[in-house]
Amino acid sequence: MLNYPARIKLGHLPTPLEEMPRLSEALGGPRLFVKRDDETGLATGGNKTRKLEFLLADALEEGADTVITAGAAQSNHCRQTAAAAVKCGLKCILTLTGSDPGVWNGNLLLDDLLGAEVRFVGDVTWTGLLDVMAGVADEVRAAGGRPYVIPVGGSTPVGATGYVAAIEELMEQLKEKNLNIDHIVFASSSGGTQSGLAVGARAFGFGGQVLGISVASKVDDLMGVLEQLSNDTARHLGLDLHFSRGDFQVNDDYLGAGYGKPAEPEREAIRLLAQTEGILVDPVYTGRALAGLIDLIRKGAFDKDETVLFWHTGGTAALFAYVEELRGF
Ligand SMILES: Cc1ncc(COP(=O)(O)O)c(C=O)c1O
């Protein structure tokens, strides 16, 4: 049992662990399961809910009245943060890259419905967003408010703790079902999910592989983030665990035309899962990760007698912002 820091209940946990026999049959592949973190709650769910249980507990402990975070216009993280802020009675300011697209759909529509203050900040890098948010925090303070800044993706040791706890949840489900998982495969971007899973796997003795399909960064860049964040997360939890680059598995073969630019592999993956299992994945993260998993299965990367878990990290609200790219006619 781990000694977790403060946590508030925001998610519908534990999320279901389901078998995907029809997808497995369609691919002639290994036994496949899915962990339904697309059903964590918070205005259409996703992986950020687990991180926000710890991040917002931290914000409340600090006495914050305003949460500030950042991302792309279709950020699932921003939408879940907006919903979490509502549940906690906090104000939410979202600083989004780019300019106002005019039509507010997908996650952006939900941000608005959830009452978040949305500010488009132009072409800013993800690190540049930290400065932008610091400026907004100063503004909030000057007006007598108490800001709490959450970096892109909620990928801090506090946030990543959500995925350490997720491994504990999974281990209990595996025990109940008397099931063994050889590989966990999922979408990896700002590194919080993968770092949390890596720390959790060590802390709770998960013996399988943990493979992040990168959706935005080259292996080397993501590895650097994972090494730092995993070590920081372990330290945050008082665990005597140490990580180096060799401890992580990352695949960047599926970056395609770049972040947020789905093409045929994502289209095929989205339709295949929808039409075999009735489950939706998104065009930016989970569709890309699933396309990677499908390709790896077709290339024979897994033995037939192995069991693979696709950890569905959510994002389905973004489907409605990619109508042109996804429609089949
Ligand atoms: C649907 C979805 N999947 C996966 C990820 C990646 O998670 P992380 O940023 O923790 O690597 C995100 C992050 O924005 C996401 O929205």
Side-chain angles (χ1 to χ4, degrees), residues 136-155:
V136 176
D138 286 343
E139 215 184 280
V140 170
R141 258 181 239 108
R146 298 177 66 103
Y148 183 87
V149 173
I150 301 178
V152 171
S155 287

Side-chain angles (χ1 to χ4, degrees), residues 45-48 51 74-80 107 126 152-155 160 163 186-195 213 215 222 226 229 259 282 284-287 289 311-316:
N47 59 343
K48 300 308 184 295
K51 299 181 183 184
Q74 282 301 326
S75 166
N76 301 297
H77 161 69
C78 287
R79 179 255 309 158
Q80 284 163 94
N107 283 300
W126 284 9
V152 171
S155 287
Y163 271 88
F186 59 97
S188 195
S189 178
S190 65
T193 301
Q194 185 153 7
S195 299
I213 305 285
V215 301
L222 188 48
L226 296 175
L229 187 51
Y259 175 78
D282 81 281
V284 180
Y285 297 94
T286 46
W311 203 308
H312 191 328
T313 48
T316 41

